[in-house]
Amino acid sequence: MHNSDKIAVICDNKSLTFHELIIWAKQVAIILQTKYLIQPEDVVIQCLERGLEMVVGMLGIIMSGGIYCPIHPEEPIERMKLLIENTKS
């Protein structure tokens, strides 16, 4: 078994192999770079519950050159606005 076939992430009885994780994260990175024009060191806020999607997004942001900034969806809207303003994301 190659490392790419091994489980990289498990969450809520779902899992991704290293190969799957890299494929999905690369797709996120490409979208961030081409559609959203993310440049190295741009702050990218991700507002998701914990799960596989969060891990894929986190890795995709990093692969795009962006700076990962998490925020929980249940945070008050004013805190989210303040975070967006302060990070210029």
Side-chain angles (χ1 to χ4, degrees), residues 45-77:
I45 293 177
Q46 178 174 263
C47 184
L48 287 174
E49 296 281 343
R50 288 182 184 222
L52 294 180
E53 295 84 359
M54 184 191 79
V55 176
V56 169
M58 181 184 350
L59 187 56
I61 291 166
I62 293 166
M63 290 173 84
S64 75
I67 297 170
Y68 172 70
C69 180
I71 190 163
H72 195 275
E74 293 178 10
E75 289 287 341
I77 232 25

Side-chain angles (χ1 to χ4, degrees), residues 27-89:
Q27 289 179 353
V28 169
I30 290 167
I31 290 168
L32 289 172
Q33 291 170 333
T34 58
K35 185 175 180 181
Y36 297 100
L37 306 176
I38 296 300
Q39 299 294 313
E41 300 188 20
D42 283 348
V43 176
V44 180
I45 293 177
Q46 178 174 263
C47 184
L48 287 174
E49 296 281 343
R50 288 182 184 222
L52 294 180
E53 295 84 359
M54 184 191 79
V55 176
V56 169
M58 181 184 350
L59 187 56
I61 291 166
I62 293 166
M63 290 173 84
S64 75
I67 297 170
Y68 172 70
C69 180
I71 190 163
H72 195 275
E74 293 178 10
E75 289 287 341
I77 232 25
E78 290 304 315
R79 175 164 160 51
M80 289 183 189
K81 288 179 183 177
L82 187 62
L83 183 64
I84 291 168
E85 288 173 19
N86 288 341
T87 60
K88 297 177 177 74
S89 57

